[in-house]
């Protein structure tokens, strides 16, 4: 795609448009982009060589991130050979990808699915940012990742991909009427009559999956997870299976981390992308879903109908909280692509979660 074509496009950028951004110098990697780094509607971000153990999380405000690091870092860490990042500590790592965005292109970031499913809290920070995971239109500068493992210690290194970034021009998010129209044209969820309220409402499944677990609760004081090694950990060493109760209820214990799944099967059409956002926090003392991006083609069955559950990362806050089967917990918000994707999620070998049910991250073997 030419620079002129990029300029005219409105909406979320698809893979070929992201590649054109890189070719134009709007994405400035410290090393050539790796195979598979550009996803159907997002770009994986790679950790750089330097990281810092921080006193606390922060937003830079009027300063650069480098200035804040110099003021608040406890010590520097070399990620080149790999380093262990401990639980309940805050780290900031430089990212290999910097940006020189056009004045009308903005970006947002989110943890990758595999990052969220191992309870690694990560957010992208830009210089002089006043919000995490938000990069203003026209931004020129470096990017950094804040990383805080919550449950499992992790081994990460330069080149590890914990976050992803999505580029957009203009307002791409659908309103409720547009969500309903899109669902009528291309069924988005398996529910016969879904609710549209700031997106498509998604509920929790606690009834069971053919007698199997309805979820998993993370164990404490476990071994190390190497974020770059799929199928390297025994699931039983890190997770406790949860089975359906007679009443279809589950009490979330404060401070514990759970993997659950949506009752609905979902699909993202080829000309849209989606993001999972938490439901209204006033309806419950729990947080749902760290990892929010759903690429075009996610969940698409052979007949184009929904064929994958949304896996949800759930953490209770300060008090025990009871959730019930079918309780709304999140919204799936759809956005228009600036240009239809020529590559769909699930078409390549790197799609770990296509047609998923209840599934742990790629790091675990049964």
């Amino acid at each position: 795609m030419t620079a002129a074509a990029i300029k005219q496009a409105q909406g979320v950028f698809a893979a070929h448009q992201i590649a054109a951004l890189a070719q134009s110098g709007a994405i400035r990697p410290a090393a050539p982009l790796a195979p598979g780094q550009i996803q159907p509607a997002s770009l994986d971000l790679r950790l750089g060589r330097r990281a810092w153990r921080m006193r606390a999380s922060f937003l830079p405000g009027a300063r650069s991130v480098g200035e804040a690091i110099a003021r608040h870092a406890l010590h520097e860490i070399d990620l080149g050979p790999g380093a262990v990042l401990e639980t309940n500590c805050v780290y900031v790592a430089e990212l290999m990808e910097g940006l020189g965005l056009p004045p009308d292109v903005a970006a947002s970031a989110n943890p990758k699915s595999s990052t969220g499913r191992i309870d690694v809290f990560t957010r992208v920070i830009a210089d002089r940012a006043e919000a995490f995971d938000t990069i203003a239109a026209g931004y020129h500068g470096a990017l950094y990742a804040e990383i805080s493992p919550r449950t499992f210690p992790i081994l990460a290194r330069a080149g590890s991909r914990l976050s992803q970034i999505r580029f957009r021009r203009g307002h791409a998010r659908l309103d409720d009427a547009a969500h309903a129209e899109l669902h009528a044209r291309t069924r988005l969820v398996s529910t016969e009559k879904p609710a549209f309220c700031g997106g498509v409402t998604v509920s929790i499944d606690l009834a069971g999956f053919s007698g199997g677990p309805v979820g998993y609760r993370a164990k404490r004081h476990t071994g190390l997870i190497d974020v770059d090694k799929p199928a390297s950990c025994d699931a039983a060493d890190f997770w406790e299976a949860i089975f359906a109760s007679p009443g279809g209820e589950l009490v979330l214990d404060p401070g514990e981390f759970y993997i659950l799944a949506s009752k609905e099967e979902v699909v993202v059409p080829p000309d849209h992308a989606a993001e999972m956002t938490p439901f209204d926090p006033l309806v419950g003392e729990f947080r749902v879903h760290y990892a929010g991006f759903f690429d075009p083609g996610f969940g698409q069955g052979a007949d184009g109908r929904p064929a994958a559950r949304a896996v949800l990362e759930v953490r209770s806050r300060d008090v025990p909280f009871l959730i019930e089967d079918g309780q709304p917990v999140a919204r799936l918000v759809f956005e228009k692509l600036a240009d239809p994707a020529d590559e769909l999620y699930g078409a390549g070998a790197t799609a770990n979660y296509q047609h998923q049910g209840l599934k742990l991250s790629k790091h675990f073997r049964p």
Side-chain angles (χ1 to χ4, degrees), residues 69-86:
I69 290 171
R71 183 174 178 180
H72 300 296
L74 299 180
H75 60 86
E76 185 173 323
I77 301 167
D78 182 5
L79 292 179
V84 174
L85 305 184
E86 301 284 356

Side-chain angles (χ1 to χ4, degrees), residues 136-148:
Y139 175 76
H140 282 59
L143 296 176
Y144 298 80
E146 177 189 282
I147 307 163
S148 183

Side-chain angles (χ1 to χ4, degrees), residues 189-273:
V189 294
S190 55
T191 310
E192 289 293 333
K193 296 181 179 180
F196 302 103
C197 183
V200 185
T201 300
V202 173
S203 63
I204 207 80
D205 191 338
L206 296 177
F209 291 81
S210 302
V214 298
Y216 295 93
R217 182 189 294 111
K219 295 182 177 181
R220 294 286 186 174
H221 313 296
T222 66
L224 193 65
I225 297 177
D226 188 326
V227 298
D228 297 321
K229 291 187 177 180
S232 59
C233 301
D234 288 325
D237 293 336
F238 292 81
W239 300 95
E240 172 192 353
I242 301 170
F243 293 88
S245 70
E249 301 172 344
L250 175 65
V251 173
L252 303 175
D253 294 323
E256 298 299 319
F257 179 68
Y258 300 82
I259 294 293
L260 302 170
S262 67
K263 184 169 284 291
E264 299 82 5
E265 292 177 318
V266 305
V267 68
V268 182
D271 56 350
H272 284 74

Side-chain angles (χ1 to χ4, degrees), residues 13 15 27 39 54 82 101 121 127 131 175 179 245 247 276 324 332 336:
F13 282 21
I27 300 170
Q39 301 293 323
M54 306 300 298
L101 295 178
F121 191 56
D127 288 339
D175 59 19
H179 275 101
S245 70
M276 187 73 76
E324 300 180 87
L332 194 59
K336 295 180 294 183

Side-chain angles (χ1 to χ4, degrees), residues 8-365:
Q8 295 173 357
Q10 299 286 320
V12 171
F13 282 21
H16 58 281
Q17 296 170 296
I18 297 172
L21 278 180
Q23 292 169 4
S24 72
I27 300 170
R28 301 172 177 175
L33 295 179
Q37 191 176 345
I38 298 179
Q39 301 293 323
S42 60
L43 172 72
D44 291 348
L45 297 173
R46 299 169 294 178
L47 299 183
R49 190 176 183 96
R50 294 188 300 169
W52 296 265
R53 168 78 162 86
M54 306 300 298
R55 289 175 55 197
S57 177
F58 68 90
L59 278 169
R63 297 170 296 181
S64 69
V65 177
E67 290 170 331
I69 290 171
R71 183 174 178 180
H72 300 296
L74 299 180
H75 60 86
E76 185 173 323
I77 301 167
D78 182 5
L79 292 179
V84 174
L85 305 184
E86 301 284 356
T87 58
N88 299 316
C89 295
V90 177
Y91 303 88
V92 170
E94 60 185 4
L95 292 170
M96 289 188 184
E97 288 71 38
L99 297 177
L101 295 178
D104 57 348
V105 174
S108 60
N110 244 315
K112 288 178 62 65
S113 293
S114 296
T115 306
R117 295 189 201 197
I118 56 174
D119 201 18
V120 175
F121 191 56
T122 182
R123 304 183 285 194
V124 170
I125 317 173
D127 288 339
R128 297 170 181 83
E130 297 182 352
F132 294 107
D133 287 335
T134 302
I135 296 91
Y139 175 76
H140 282 59
L143 296 176
Y144 298 80
E146 177 189 282
I147 307 163
S148 183
R150 305 293 304 278
T151 298
F152 310 123
I154 64 170
L155 176 63
R157 56 187 60 80
S160 295
R161 308 179 195 177
L162 302 182
S163 302
Q164 55 194 340
I165 190 169
R166 184 168 276 179
F167 302 92
R168 59 176 58 79
R169 176 179 280 108
H171 183 76
R173 183 166 289 195
L174 305 187
D175 59 19
D176 288 344
H179 275 101
E181 181 181 344
L182 179 61
H183 179 73
R185 186 169 70 250
T186 303
R187 191 167 184 173
L188 304 177
V189 294
S190 55
T191 310
E192 289 293 333
K193 296 181 179 180
F196 302 103
C197 183
V200 185
T201 300
V202 173
S203 63
I204 207 80
D205 191 338
L206 296 177
F209 291 81
S210 302
V214 298
Y216 295 93
R217 182 189 294 111
K219 295 182 177 181
R220 294 286 186 174
H221 313 296
T222 66
L224 193 65
I225 297 177
D226 188 326
V227 298
D228 297 321
K229 291 187 177 180
S232 59
C233 301
D234 288 325
D237 293 336
F238 292 81
W239 300 95
E240 172 192 353
I242 301 170
F243 293 88
S245 70
E249 301 172 344
L250 175 65
V251 173
L252 303 175
D253 294 323
E256 298 299 319
F257 179 68
Y258 300 82
I259 294 293
L260 302 170
S262 67
K263 184 169 284 291
E264 299 82 5
E265 292 177 318
V266 305
V267 68
V268 182
D271 56 350
H272 284 74
E275 181 176 359
M276 187 73 76
T277 62
F279 207 64
D280 187 344
L282 297 179
V283 304
E285 291 299 315
F286 61 96
R287 171 180 174 129
V288 175
H289 222 70
Y290 295 157
F293 289 163
F294 288 68
D295 277 330
F298 174 85
Q300 186 167 292
D303 56 358
R305 296 172 69 85
R309 308 292 183 103
V311 169
L312 307 169
E313 303 99 28
V314 180
R315 176 180 287 278
S316 185
R317 293 197 176 105
D318 298 326
V319 297
F321 190 81
L322 185 145
I323 57 174
E324 300 180 87
D325 181 56
Q327 181 171 335
V329 293
R331 297 183 180 96
L332 194 59
V333 182
F334 286 80
E335 297 182 281
K336 295 180 294 183
L337 293 185
D339 199 46
D342 53 7
E343 175 186 344
L344 298 180
Y345 186 86
T350 58
N352 295 295
Y353 307 116
Q354 184 71 309
H355 305 149
Q356 67 183 359
L358 175 69
K359 188 172 183 180
L360 297 172
S361 79
K362 65 182 182 181
H363 307 97
F364 301 101
R365 52 182 178 264

